[in-house]
Amino acid sequence: MKKTTIIAAAAMTLMASPAFAHLNPAEHGSFAAGFSHPLTGTDHILAMVAVGLWAAMLGGRALFAVPAAFVGVMIVGFLTALFGLPVPFVEPIILASVVVLGLVVALALPVPVVVGAAIAGFFAFFHGHAHGSEIGAAGLLSYGAGFALATALLHAAGIGLGLGVGRLWQGSTGRIAMRVAGGATALGGLMLMAS
């Protein structure tokens, strides 16, 4: 039994091809490379959808202000990386953002819109710096437009999910479902940290 498992594992290893997490701008264009960048990292997807869920939970002006703060400050972080300004702890803070943003959804943390925007913006800076650090040979404007649009769409997906769940399961059931999603996001962040 062990011999068969070892042979199967060795065969699969030899057949595996390398995973390319980001599109090559020379082959696919700078916009496509930028657009795909946030969509190819679990940490980015979880954090950005959590921002949308939290904005949906906060409601009112937060539906626009919290995601807009994220995208706006993310662009500032992107430019900071392009100017070569070093920022410490980028990757650990990105991982922490998944946990923290998941927790604020799990706790249904009720904060003023400005505070929600500030929390989202803090983490966005580091996400943007990571995008800028990984630009490679891509064109600045088209790459930046691509990842900003993908980020906004991930926020919109979180908002849509939050509002949809709220309408589908009215009252406390919908809120509990969103809080469970937040808890799962935080747990996903912890698993990413551990791996």
Side-chain angles (χ1 to χ4, degrees):
M1 183 71 169
K2 287 183 181 180
K3 191 183 236 184
T4 307
T5 305
I6 293 170
I7 291 171
M12 285 190 273
T13 302
L14 293 173
M15 292 186 310
S17 61
F20 297 103
H22 304 298
L23 294 179
N24 180 351
E27 294 175 24
H28 302 282
S30 296
F31 179 83
F35 187 83
S36 68
H37 193 272
L39 304 174
T40 55
T42 306
D43 51 351
H44 293 291
I45 293 170
L46 289 173
M48 292 173 202
V49 172
V51 167
L53 279 172
W54 192 33
M57 291 178 101
L58 293 173
R61 292 184 313 134
L63 284 171
F64 175 77
V66 172
F70 192 101
V71 173
V73 177
M74 182 182 65
I75 291 170
V76 172
F78 173 69
L79 293 172
T80 301
L82 292 181
F83 286 120
L85 299 172
V87 173
F89 309 116
V90 170
E91 288 303 322
I93 292 176
I94 287 174
L95 289 173
S97 75
V98 178
V99 176
V100 171
L101 292 168
L103 285 175
V104 298
V105 173
L107 298 171
L109 190 64
V111 297
V113 175
V114 173
V115 174
I119 292 169
F122 171 77
F123 291 120
F125 179 84
F126 294 92
H127 282 267
H129 196 278
H131 291 312
S133 298
E134 297 169 355
I135 191 170
L140 165 70
L141 292 178
S142 54
Y143 179 84
F147 80 74
L149 177 61
T151 298
L153 290 174
L154 286 168
H155 292 327
I159 291 170
L161 181 64
L163 294 177
V165 165
R167 285 195 183 118
L168 183 63
W169 293 317
Q170 306 233 338
S172 64
T173 306
R175 198 119 174 120
I176 290 170
M178 285 193 286
R179 293 178 76 170
V180 168
T185 299
L187 183 61
L190 290 173
M191 290 171 61
L192 287 170
M193 285 180 174
S195 63

